[in-house]
Amino acid sequence: MYTARKVTEDICFVGGEDRRLNLFENVYPVPQGVSYNAYLILDEKTCLMDCVDKSAAEVLFENLDRCLGGRGLDYVVVQHMEPDHSAALMRVLARYPEAKLVTSKKALDMVSRFFGKDLTERAVIVGEGSTLSLGRHSLRFVAAPMVHWPEVLMTYDEASGALFTADAFGTFGALDGAVFADEVDFDRDYMDEARRYYTNIVGKYGAQVQSVLKKAAGLDIKMLCPLHGFVWRKDLDLILDKYQKWSSYTAEEAGVTLAYGSVYGNTENAARALASLLRERGVKVRMFDVSVTHPSYIIASCFRYSAIVLAAPTYNNGVFVNMEAFINDLTAHGLKGRKVALMQNGTWVPNSAAGMRKLLEGAKGLDIMEETVTVPSALRDDAELIKLADALAAAV
Ligand code: FEO
């Protein structure tokens, strides 16, 4: 089947991947690539579960040809209209002119906006609780608004116990020929990328993810089939537990994400001194230079650990520009329940702590600590750092 893989006797993975992509959504680095998953159910009726990005379209067509083996395609289910899954849709519908489009009303409206075509005549509109029988397989649709767009559906297959989960339970990273999470060392090789994917792409919509997790708890789920990354058929609790934590903004571990900006190295030096004091107190620390590391990695760390330290020089009487951009990104993700400490540097009027505090005003769930460190150009005295290290060690 070339790159297609059997997920069960009659469900095939027919998606593809892109290792040449620099930035996913033109924002997120994907140094290990990304997969665009699609699944074909072969029953009395044949049904394609979602399409792929344009970069994977040819692979999808090849896999469909081989897996269908001359049969036609009866249904194309579109769970999510974001173009990383729908770009190939019109070409699929043109190749299989008898296929019906099965999707939500909102997604059908998006089809006309993206492609300038009214497919109402060809569509079967489904929503929460709707069913579609393929023969042995009976599909039940579960509304999953804002996971990660408003039109999103998930789909439960009664026969196999597979829940097709759209973007949820996905990860960055190409699959290296595997299709199941248990074929790789997921915890070691992919969990960091799964966290970075979730927190940055869906992280803002924790309440909506919680609501879908509650609905999923009522289903007898044997497999999770996402649109990126691996199919989960074993150890589902591993990823479900992470999703519970991420979507409820619960830290996975006690520890500090220490994000700093530094123009000439003096703020970095003070940040390193704080990290050493924290280590001496048994506190785990992850340090990031906001001018070096893409914010998506730092945001993932902020979700992982229980406290955040932001250290920045005063710049144009405000906050060092890359830290300002990072804080705006962080507050856009709705993270809650974290202690946040501030460190500022300034040669004539240190003002970046006040600026950072103002930038964080909208982030109601972040608790800004009283202890603030001021570095007067360079670190000359560690009394404030020791006080902050003690307070953080007590807080985490
Ligand atoms: Fe993978 Fe929201 O698209």
Side-chain angles (χ1 to χ4, degrees):
M1 295 200 293
Y2 297 141
T3 61
R5 290 271 316 266
K6 278 193 169 185
V7 174
T8 67
E9 267 313 299
D10 54 9
I11 301 177
C12 295
F13 174 96
V14 291
E17 56 194 23
D18 189 349
R19 291 172 178 275
R20 296 184 175 196
L21 184 67
N22 185 25
L23 297 173
F24 180 78
E25 290 188 359
N26 213 12
V27 178
Y28 305 105
V30 278
Q32 276 82 49
V34 64
S35 76
Y36 304 109
N37 303 353
Y39 304 89
L40 178 67
I41 305 174
L42 295 161
D43 201 337
E44 288 166 29
K45 300 284 187 187
T46 57
C47 178
L48 175 63
M49 300 299 298
D50 286 294
C51 296
V52 293
D53 183 73
K54 61 179 179 297
S55 63
E58 295 304 324
V59 168
L60 173 70
F61 300 148
E62 178 181 273
N63 286 339
L64 278 176
D65 284 350
R66 294 185 70 83
C67 292
L68 284 167
R71 293 185 66 185
L73 185 62
D74 296 296
Y75 297 111
V76 181
V77 172
V78 170
Q79 301 184 114
H80 183 16
M81 263 304 290
E82 193 164 7
D84 56 329
H85 309 294
S86 71
L89 174 63
M90 298 312 285
R91 291 178 67 193
V92 168
L93 292 175
R95 285 171 76 96
Y96 300 99
E98 74 288 4
K100 288 276 191 190
L101 170 64
V102 181
T103 196
S104 63
K105 174 75 177 71
K106 279 198 174 81
L108 187 64
D109 292 343
M110 289 180 184
V111 169
S112 65
R113 272 181 245 137
F114 274 107
F115 301 113
K117 299 258 191 255
D118 181 355
L119 294 184
T120 309
E121 299 280 295
R122 221 175 144 171
V124 178
I125 300 295
V126 292
E128 177 74 28
S130 303
T131 57
L132 178 71
S133 175
L134 305 177
R136 196 175 79 81
H137 294 265
S138 174
L139 305 183
R140 178 146 41 104
F141 298 95
V142 178
M146 300 319 297
V147 185
H148 129 245
W149 277 17
E151 84 294 4
V152 170
L153 295 167
M154 293 187 186
T155 308
Y156 180 65
D157 171 27
E158 311 270 358
S160 63
L163 181 66
F164 297 90
T165 58
D167 274 339
F169 307 107
T171 179
F172 293 134
L175 307 182
D176 294 357
V179 69
F180 299 107
D182 56 89
E183 292 179 294
V184 298
D185 189 333
F186 191 91
D187 208 29
R188 185 191 65 195
D189 297 334
Y190 287 91
M191 189 59 88
D192 285 348
E193 285 296 76
R195 180 185 301 103
R196 188 166 68 91
Y197 169 85
Y198 173 85
T199 56
N200 285 278
I201 307 280
V202 195
K204 180 181 171 67
Y205 305 110
Q208 290 87 345
V209 174
Q210 283 276 303
S211 139
V212 169
L213 287 173
K214 282 195 185 82
K215 287 196 236 178
L219 301 170
D220 180 18
I221 299 170
K222 298 200 171 61
M223 278 191 300
L224 297 168
C225 301
L227 290 180
H228 304 283
F230 299 98
V231 171
W232 289 83
R233 63 179 173 184
K234 293 183 184 167
D235 305 323
L236 271 61
D237 284 347
L238 177 68
I239 195 73
L240 285 166
D241 177 62
K242 292 291 185 192
Y243 265 64
Q244 278 293 357
K245 287 200 167 75
W246 296 337
S247 59
S248 60
Y249 305 100
T250 305
E252 294 167 66
E253 294 178 58
V256 173
T257 300
L258 203 175
Y260 67 89
S262 193
V263 182
Y264 294 107
N266 290 303
T267 308
E268 177 180 4
N269 191 49
R272 287 179 59 204
L274 176 67
S276 299
L277 290 167
L278 288 168
R279 291 285 184 181
E280 283 170 4
R281 286 155 178 74
V283 177
K284 195 178 275 188
V285 183
R286 288 297 310 276
M287 283 185 72
F288 300 94
D289 183 333
V290 294
S291 299
V292 173
T293 304
H294 190 273
S296 61
Y297 293 88
I298 313 175
I299 283 170
S301 180
C302 291
F303 271 70
R304 181 174 186 171
Y305 295 107
S306 51
I308 301 166
V309 176
L310 303 171
T314 304
Y315 204 77
N316 290 330
N317 199 31
V319 179
F320 179 63
V321 61
N322 290 349
M323 178 60 78
E324 184 176 12
F326 172 69
I327 294 175
N328 284 333
D329 203 348
L330 177 68
T331 57
H333 284 80
L335 182 61
K336 303 175 181 49
R338 299 294 184 278
K339 294 277 184 192
V340 180
L342 304 175
M343 291 173 61
Q344 64 178 349
N345 192 346
T347 296
W348 57 102
V349 183
N351 204 23
S352 49
M356 289 191 280
R357 200 174 279 272
K358 192 160 176 44
L359 289 169
L360 288 162
E361 263 171 10
K364 299 292 178 213
L366 300 179
D367 178 13
I368 302 178
M369 297 172 71
E370 300 254 307
E371 296 79 0
T372 299
V373 173
T374 296
V375 180
S377 303
L379 189 60
R380 293 280 161 249
D381 177 335
D382 61 1
E384 283 185 344
L385 281 180
I386 290 169
K387 215 168 137 190
L388 177 57
D390 286 340
L392 279 165
V396 302

